Amino acid sequence: MGWAIALHGGAGDIPLSLPLERREPREAALRYCLEIGVSALKANRSPLDVVELVVCELENNPHFNAGRGSVLTNKGTVEMEACIMDGNTKNCGAVSGVSTVANAISLARLVMEKTPHIYLAFDGAEAFAREQGVKMVDENHFITPENIERLKQAKEANRVQIDYTQPIQKDSPDETVLANGDSQLGTVGCVAVDSEGNLAAATSTGGLVNKMVGRIGDTPIIGSGTYANNLCAVSATGKGEAIIRATAARDVAALMEYKGLSLEEAAAYVVEKCVPKGNVGIIAVSATGEVTMPFNTTGMFRACATEDGSSEVGIWPLFVQKL
Amino acid sequence: MGGWAIAVHGGAGVDPNLPTQRQEEAKQLLTRCLHLGISALRSSLPAIDVVELVVRELETDPLFNSGRGSALTENGTVEMEASIMDGPKRRCGAVSGITTVKNPISLARLVMDKSPHSYLAFSGAEAFARKQGVELVDNEYFVTEDNKGMLKLAKEANSIVFDYRIPILDTCSGAGALDSPLQMNGLPISIYAPETVGCVVVDSEGRCAAATSTGGLMNKMMGRIGDSPLIGAGTYACDLCGVSCTGEGEAIIRATLAREVAAVMEYKGLNLQDAVDFVVKERLDEGQAGLIAVSKNGEVACGFNSNGMFRGMATEDGYMEVGIWDQN
């Protein structure tokens, strides 16, 4: 038992040749977010507060695909989505199609706490944000030159991508992953458990590069990209369409509950057996303070820490990591 | 065992004072839809096509809360949502915030078949619809006089609730329809009964499919998305089964209800009826909902903890049942 926290900045085909100048800022951000998450847990903040504040920090960082730094739709605009869930009550909140709210995850939390609903989207979500007096910014605030370039490349190649892979056909059962040295971003997320076993999960994203306007991915769908109950808290990242059809986050918990698998076994099973290779990464914590971060992509920006003092910050599988 | 099976629903949570006339109309519609599905199955149409055509019929008929006859948003407009899932490869398609597409379930199908994505919403979904050349109508087409009246009652009922989480214990004054103390979503069932529609089918090849469509919650906030378009919540299909849910949307989402049926079959080895019973009994907490399900073995089942559920079920061996109230 004891607290535990894990966070991610996206899974995908992150090439081992990633230049230092693209690697260091992200590693530093992961380390920093881990620190603030751990401090908050040590200060007895609720896991719900902890996951929200960590994801806010990741959203504010332009190096990840959420909030500032979100990838662009095929029209060059930003449409963000986020989701938060409280393990004890299974209360949850989600938003999609948000373009002028500085922190989509906080808006998702407001939906959970201040409306009779779970999920608000597009104009309705923005109207609610204004009503709540949430900090609104110009859409340009979120757009970075990197992402303008990514969109340009994607349009030239005529593909929709998790930022750095070759086109993926929706129906292929086993998709090979090809590195093309492109940029390396993904969704962000955080899961946390305190020493009483209270769990929470939060995920936030700009979605897929060159996505159709109005496209919703796995992130705001309870049970797909985000889930928490009294056994575990899970946040997934990767190719949304594949994560949705695998109901990835819920399945981790279901395997623990119905098949008696451990957290690590359940998450590994989902990553290895339920989602095609190259498509998913998962972070999860259990009520007993365990943590796991499996992925079937080349890499996943991630960090975790547990009360017993262990911690990890990484991008590629540990045996590959060149540190 | 084996053979085709089909189930349809028109919503879980029925006003106990529902006029007999309306009960009859509902049963007739459900029967008609069953027959439509059965004919299609007998012509060897695959499950995914059958669920779509049956839900189209339910959307087009103004009786239930989908397509024409959808519940109204707080602004008096209609915002529809739907999802469809094909068991064999778990392909899926969903739409939300639909305002001009005559049959949202067909748009959800097109998202599945003709777009690189699984879920499109609001103006993006409408733009996609235009590109695909689907039948478009004015938003007014979906609005019925009945529902305009319901919206008015809903606003009256709401206005005396200071905290939406506190259910109304007394009947409200000034609204004749509010004499039932039964509630749905914390407010009178006569107004807030979901009446979402859905269909699940297993064809004679053992392929399962599921489809759900709705106008959502009466007097909902603009932009509110419920369980119906969420894969795993309102709709789910895989190799083992096809499930469509209805009821209190927020409860269904929290319970990932549709996926739950399949998960207990897959991971606990329960059969269809046991899985349905387990999920309805153990996974709804204080929420009210119902669901219909079929298994690849040609079984059909339904379950609900609400006050009634409009439903119809049929199997290849000749079994057919249409009902509203509690199961025997």
Side-chain angles (χ1 to χ4, degrees):
Chain A
M1 289 286 292
W3 55 256
I5 179 172
L7 56 105
H8 70 74
D13 183 29
I14 308 168
L16 290 168
S17 55
L18 185 64
L20 222 49
E21 68 266 18
R22 302 189 86 105
R23 196 179 136 165
E24 279 180 340
R26 290 176 174 95
E27 278 173 338
L30 292 169
R31 242 174 237 116
Y32 176 67
C33 289
L34 189 64
E35 266 168 40
I36 62 175
V38 168
S39 297
L41 279 167
K42 284 179 170 161
N44 288 322
R45 296 286 300 274
S46 73
L48 201 59
D49 285 346
V50 173
V51 300
E52 185 191 353
L53 74 92
V54 168
V55 169
C56 273
E57 189 62 35
L58 290 162
E59 283 173 336
N60 295 341
N61 190 304
H63 295 298
F64 299 109
N65 175 16
R68 254 195 98 213
S70 281
V71 300
L72 307 180
T73 69
N74 62 9
K75 297 272 184 291
T77 55
V78 161
E79 286 179 0
M80 301 170 286
E81 44 199 21
C83 180
I84 191 165
M85 189 162 186
D86 173 45
N88 282 342
T89 57
K90 298 219 288 265
N91 282 340
C92 35
V95 292
S96 280
V98 167
S99 314
T100 60
V101 172
N103 289 100
I105 194 64
S106 299
L107 188 63
R109 183 150 184 198
L110 284 172
V111 173
M112 178 173 87
E113 293 176 344
K114 298 278 164 73
T115 76
H117 303 321
I118 283 180
Y119 191 3
L120 289 181
F122 292 88
D123 289 351
E126 299 263 325
F128 172 67
R130 281 190 297 274
E131 252 174 55
Q132 291 289 313
V134 162
K135 178 175 175 200
M136 313 289 277
V137 295
D138 190 78
E139 187 170 349
N140 287 314
H141 163 86
F142 305 102
I143 300 180
T144 59
E146 263 186 5
N147 278 310
I148 294 176
E149 181 56 32
R150 259 181 215 119
L151 179 63
K152 187 159 163 288
Q153 285 176 13
K155 280 182 179 293
E156 275 159 18
N158 194 25
R159 63 179 190 252
V160 173
Q161 53 171 356
I162 20 171
D163 315 319
Y164 30 62
T165 61
Q166 295 293 344
I168 293 171
Q169 269 132 345
K170 264 200 325 184
D171 283 347
S172 330
D174 193 57
E175 296 148 12
T176 41
V177 167
L178 302 166
N180 68 355
D182 197 13
S183 50
Q184 314 77 25
L185 288 191
T187 299
V188 304
C190 181
V191 293
V193 59
D194 63 19
S195 42
E196 323 258 297
N198 297 311
L199 291 143
T203 317
S204 178
T205 190
L208 293 187
V209 180
N210 202 24
K211 66 182 180 179
M212 289 170 73
V213 164
R215 176 264 188 186
I216 293 178
D218 65 289
T219 294
I221 303 186
I222 298 292
S224 287
T226 309
Y227 188 76
N229 62 7
N230 55 9
L231 284 180
C232 64
V234 186
S235 172
T237 163
K239 179 92 193 293
E241 284 71 11
I243 293 169
I244 289 173
R245 77 162 47 114
T247 53
R250 174 68 186 114
D251 268 39
V252 174
L255 284 160
M256 289 180 73
E257 183 167 0
Y258 300 132
K259 282 196 100 138
L261 297 193
S262 70
L263 180 80
E264 196 178 335
E265 288 166 341
Y269 185 91
V270 170
V271 159
E272 284 159 30
K273 302 268 193 292
C274 303
V275 184
K277 194 163 157 55
N279 279 248
V280 73
I282 280 176
I283 57 170
V285 289
S286 71
T288 52
E290 302 157 297
V291 69
T292 186
M293 304 190 292
F295 47 96
N296 69 11
T297 47
T298 310
M300 177 167 78
F301 291 105
R302 65 199 188 279
C304 69
T306 53
E307 188 164 4
D308 65 11
S310 68
S311 77
E312 181 192 323
V313 175
I315 303 177
W316 299 282
L318 286 181
F319 58 87
V320 166
Q321 191 93 10
K322 298 186 302 221
L323 274 174
Chain B
M1 289 288 127
W4 54 254
I6 176 172
V8 299
H9 73 73
V14 184
D15 180 4
N17 297 326
L18 192 68
T20 319
Q21 158 90 358
R22 215 171 125 116
Q23 292 184 43
E24 282 313 305
E25 281 169 3
K27 293 210 288 213
Q28 277 165 32
L29 175 56
L30 292 165
T31 306
R32 196 170 85 231
C33 288
L34 272 184
H35 284 302
L36 201 62
I38 291 169
S39 290
L41 281 162
R42 288 190 178 136
S43 334
S44 299
L45 220 57
I48 189 72
D49 289 340
V50 180
V51 297
E52 185 192 350
L53 78 94
V54 170
V55 170
R56 281 178 67 97
E57 183 65 26
L58 289 160
E59 285 172 339
T60 306
D61 194 297
L63 191 69
F64 293 130
N65 172 15
S66 68
R68 226 185 127 228
S70 277
L72 307 180
T73 69
E74 62 186 354
N75 302 327
T77 57
V78 162
E79 281 177 6
M80 300 167 288
E81 45 198 20
S83 64
I84 189 166
M85 192 159 185
D86 191 15
K89 290 187 188 165
R90 287 175 298 150
R91 299 181 314 126
C92 43
V95 291
S96 280
I98 301 306
T99 52
T100 63
V101 173
K102 190 149 178 259
N103 287 99
I105 196 63
S106 294
L107 188 64
R109 174 107 195 242
L110 285 169
V111 170
M112 177 173 84
D113 288 342
K114 298 275 167 71
S115 87
H117 302 316
S118 295
Y119 190 5
L120 289 181
F122 292 89
S123 59
E126 300 267 326
F128 174 68
R130 279 190 299 274
K131 279 223 183 107
Q132 293 289 318
V134 303
E135 190 176 355
L136 301 176
V137 293
D138 280 336
N139 198 253
E140 277 301 307
Y141 163 84
F142 304 104
V143 179
T144 59
E145 284 308 310
D146 260 1
N147 280 319
K148 280 191 194 162
M150 281 299 176
L151 181 62
K152 198 157 161 298
L153 291 176
K155 286 182 181 294
E156 279 164 21
N158 247 321
S159 69
I160 76 167
V161 178
F162 303 109
D163 177 352
Y164 64 81
R165 287 197 179 95
I166 300 169
I168 303 174
L169 295 173
D170 305 316
T171 55
C172 315
S173 57
L178 302 177
D179 23 326
S180 163
L182 264 195
Q183 293 172 2
M184 204 86 193
N185 297 293
L187 287 155
I189 199 173
S190 50
I191 304 165
Y192 284 87
E195 294 188 350
T196 293
V197 303
C199 178
V200 293
V201 162
V202 56
D203 59 30
S204 31
E205 316 270 312
R207 296 173 295 209
C208 299
T212 315
S213 179
T214 191
L217 192 60
M218 183 64 76
N219 199 27
K220 65 183 179 180
M221 289 171 75
M222 185 177 65
R224 178 263 189 182
I225 292 178
D227 66 290
S228 299
L230 303 188
I231 296 297
T235 305
Y236 189 75
C238 60
D239 282 332
L240 291 179
C241 63
V243 186
S244 171
C245 306
T246 162
E248 294 179 316
E250 280 69 20
I252 294 170
I253 292 173
R254 283 209 297 280
T256 55
L257 206 64
R259 172 61 183 135
E260 204 65 6
V261 173
V264 297
M265 288 180 75
E266 189 174 348
Y267 299 141
K268 266 174 85 118
L270 296 193
N271 68 33
L272 186 74
Q273 188 67 60
D274 288 346
V276 168
D277 291 342
F278 173 83
V279 165
V280 166
K281 185 155 177 279
E282 306 290 338
R283 287 288 168 263
L284 281 170
D285 299 335
E286 288 130 32
Q288 295 180 68
L291 59 97
I292 53 173
V294 288
S295 75
K296 69 172 196 241
N297 298 325
E299 302 157 297
V300 69
C302 76
F304 51 95
N305 69 355
S306 51
N307 187 62
M309 177 167 79
F310 293 107
R311 75 236 178 232
M313 303 187 284
T315 54
E316 189 164 7
D317 62 10
Y319 160 73
M320 177 137 122
E321 183 197 317
V322 170
I324 301 178
W325 308 113
D326 280 334
Q327 304 162 267
N328 299 325

